[in-house]
Amino acid sequence: MPAITNKQQLLTQCQAALKKRFPLAVVDAPDEPRPLLEELIYAACREGSTAADADAGYARLRKAFIDWNEVRVSTVQEVGEVLRPLPGAGGRSKRIIGLLQEVFEDKYSFDLSELDKKGLKDTARKLRFYKEGVTDYAVAWVVQRSLGGHAIPLDEPTLRVLRRLGVVEEGEPESLEAVRASIEHVIAKARGPEFTDVMSVHAKELCTEKDPDCPACPLNRDCPYGIEHLAKKAGDAKPKKSR
Ligand code: SF4
């Protein structure tokens, strides 16, 4: 069977199993689409976290500051305190302030709506100019969630799960963009947002960085890392023969 079909089948099965295991992981789109700048700021909260945690952090940010200019002129510590307990709050705060500063210097406002009308590829290319605040994940996020295109944002927790599943090679020499393109090739556009949401919750709840809970994982029969991990645990648990 061609490798691409194997990868596609594996990820399809994984997504279905995770959706069943974490039915609340999939989050509906907001009633009103967020303007482009706000979607980028939301992406800075969402990368490396779950939808629920990012929603809560983003809501605290909106509540604590009058407008985006007040966020821009605040310190990293002040914004970070508002974002906490979102993990990596300090780094996210630095990124959000950096983005607002870059946009302000470029546009003398916080309005990126002009970029919104440029067409998908051009908008994505222009967003990458904001190097302080825009990562590959953020560009893929806005393509998936607000620009109506097909992209799968890949953050570190999602990549960890994909590596353990053997879908992304350990120490893969390709660039992140190349890895993302290979995943986008096997996940249909309509399934993209759900894939992103369930992977994030799985990475937080079961496939944690340290000591993943493989015995409780619905993917453990198809996951090379999980199979090895469980076999080792079973070996460790066997009583030692007395001589
Ligand atoms: S079996 Fe273990 S390593 Fe594999 S996806 Fe599940 S939790 Fe992660």
Side-chain angles (χ1 to χ4, degrees), residues 140-194:
W141 178 269
V142 297
V143 168
Q144 187 193 66
R145 304 287 168 139
S146 34
L147 301 179
H150 180 38
I152 304 289
L154 295 177
D155 55 10
E156 202 37 55
T158 304
L159 284 167
R160 176 175 72 237
V161 178
L162 294 175
R163 281 191 206 104
R164 287 173 174 171
L165 286 168
V167 172
V168 172
E169 298 292 326
E170 279 292 344
E172 186 138 12
E174 292 173 280
S175 68
L176 178 58
E177 275 183 70
V179 173
R180 189 162 50 69
S182 76
I183 301 297
E184 286 161 5
H185 199 57
V186 294
I187 302 281
K189 181 183 166 191
R191 284 180 32 226
E194 179 188 285

Side-chain angles (χ1 to χ4, degrees), residues 73-143:
V73 298
S74 297
T75 64
V76 169
Q77 194 181 353
E78 285 164 343
V79 176
E81 270 164 20
V82 171
L83 290 175
R84 254 179 282 279
L86 203 54
R92 294 180 199 276
S93 158
K94 194 164 175 250
R95 180 169 149 192
I96 291 167
I97 293 171
L99 170 66
L100 290 168
Q101 186 62 31
E102 283 178 306
V103 171
F104 186 71
E105 284 172 13
D106 187 27
K107 306 277 179 204
Y108 301 108
S109 75
F110 297 108
D111 182 9
L112 290 179
S113 54
E114 170 207 331
L115 276 188
D116 226 340
K117 299 176 191 118
K118 289 211 177 281
L120 202 60
K121 279 197 177 154
D122 213 20
T123 304
R125 190 175 57 77
K126 290 217 157 64
L127 288 178
R128 290 183 194 277
F129 285 126
Y130 299 125
K131 292 193 185 309
E132 282 287 315
V134 175
T135 58
D136 183 81
Y137 179 97
V139 175
W141 178 269
V142 297
V143 168

Side-chain angles (χ1 to χ4, degrees), residues 14 18 160-162 164-165 202 206-208 212-227 229-230:
C14 289
L18 292 177
R160 176 175 72 237
V161 178
L162 294 175
R164 287 173 174 171
L165 286 168
H202 176 54
L206 294 176
C207 200
T208 48
D213 193 357
C214 300
C217 177
L219 315 182
N220 62 18
R221 287 191 193 166
D222 296 309
C223 173
Y225 184 104
I227 291 167
H229 189 60
L230 290 174

